[in-house]
DNA sequence: TTTCTATATTCGAAATATGGAATATATTTG
DNA sequence: CAAATATATTCCATATTTCGAATATAGAAA
C-alpha cells in the first residue's frame, strides 16, 4: 500500500483521535444538528467546539450546510458510526483491562505533574 | 456515553493515527511477525519502529510474545481487524476525494514554504 | 445602518508527539 | 567470560495539537 494512502488513513484516525470529536460524531448519530445544538448538548466552549468541527470538516468526516444564520452538521458516512459501535463492544469485551489502561495513562499524567 | 469510553476510543484512534503504525498493523494482518521482520519489511530505522511498537503495545493494539532473542507481534483482537476492514471500505469509498484532499494539503505545504 | 445572534478564525502558551542518536537490556554464540 | 544479535529505552530538538481569549464574519432583526 502506498505511503500516500497510509497518510490519508492516518489523517482520518487522527481526526477521530480526540474525546470531544468522538462526542461530536456520536451526538450526530441521530441526524443533523446545528453547531449551536452540539455546543449545548456537550456543554463546551463555543470556540473549542468550532475548532473541533473544523478538524472534522477538513477531514470530510462531517458535512456542513448553511441555513441562514446557522450551520447544520451531519456525519458524512454511517460507516463511521458502525466503527464506533464496534469499538464499544471492544471496550466492553475488555472492560477490566481498558479501565486499567486508562488509569495507567492518568497515573502517567500525575507522575509528570509531580515532577514539577 | 461516558467520558471514559470516549477517551478509550480516542486512544485507539490515536494509536492508529500515524502512517508507520498503520503500516505495522497492516503488515501483521497475515499473522505473527518478529520485530526484526517488521523492520525489514518496512525498511525503517530499528529505534523508530520499536517506538511505534511501544505505542501499539501500550494501547493493547498488539500483543508481544518473547521467544529467545526475538519478540513476535500479533494484532490482539479480531474486532480490531474488523474495524480496520470497515475503515478500508471507507477509504475505498472516498478514495477519489482523498486524492483531491491530499493534493490540497500539498498545495498548502507549497504555500507555506513559499512564505519563507 | 446599527445591533444581535450564530459561527469561525487567529493568536499565544502549554502539552504532546515525533525522529534520530546514543545507550541499555537480554539472549545466544564462541 | 566476551562478542554478537535482537529489541527496547532514554535524551533532546523540533513539530504538532490543544485550549481559552480575543476577534472576525455573515446573516437577521430593529
Amino acid at each position: 500500500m502506498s505511503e500516500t494512502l497510509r497518510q490519508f488513513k492516518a489523517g482520518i484516525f487522527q481526526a477521530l483521535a480526540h474525546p470531544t470529536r468522538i462526542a461530536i460524531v456520536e451526538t450526530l448519530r441521530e441526524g443533523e444538528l446545528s453547531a449551536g445544538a452540539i455546543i449545548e448538548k456537550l456543554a463546551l466552549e463555543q470556540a473549542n467546539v468550532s475548532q473541533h468541527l473544523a478538524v472534522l470538516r477538513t477531514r470530510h468526516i462531517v458535512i456542513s450546510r448553511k441555513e441562514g444564520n446557522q450551520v447544520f452538521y451531519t456525519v458524512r458516512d454511517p460507516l463511521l458510526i458502525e466503527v464506533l459501535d464496534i469499538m464499544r463492544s471492544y471496550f466492553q469485551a475488555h472492560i477490566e483491562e481498558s479501565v486499567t489502561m486508562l488509569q495507567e495513562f492518568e497515573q502517567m499524567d500525575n507522575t509528570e505533574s509531580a515532577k514539577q
Side-chain angles (χ1 to χ4, degrees), chain A residues 47-97:
Chain A
N48 193 1
V49 172
S50 194
Q51 283 169 358
H52 285 299
L53 282 171
V55 172
L56 294 173
R57 248 185 293 124
T58 304
R59 273 2 196 273
H60 300 281
I61 306 284
V62 298
I63 301 179
S64 63
R65 172 178 76 79
K66 193 160 187 177
E67 187 179 318
N69 226 358
Q70 297 169 288
V71 179
F72 290 89
Y73 285 91
T74 42
V75 174
R76 195 167 89 104
D77 192 322
L79 233 45
L80 284 183
I81 301 283
E82 201 180 323
V83 168
L84 291 175
D85 282 342
I86 293 178
M87 286 179 65
R88 189 183 36 203
S89 352
Y90 181 86
F91 178 80
Q92 282 165 351
H94 303 288
I95 215 161
E96 207 169 308
E97 161 208 282

Side-chain angles (χ1 to χ4, degrees), chain A residues 4 6 17 19 32 34 42 68 81 95 101 106 111 113 115:
Chain A
T4 300
R6 255 179 246 129
E32 195 178 58
S34 70
L42 301 185
I81 301 283
I95 215 161
M101 186 165 81
E106 275 172 36
T111 312
S113 335
K115 281 181 188 166

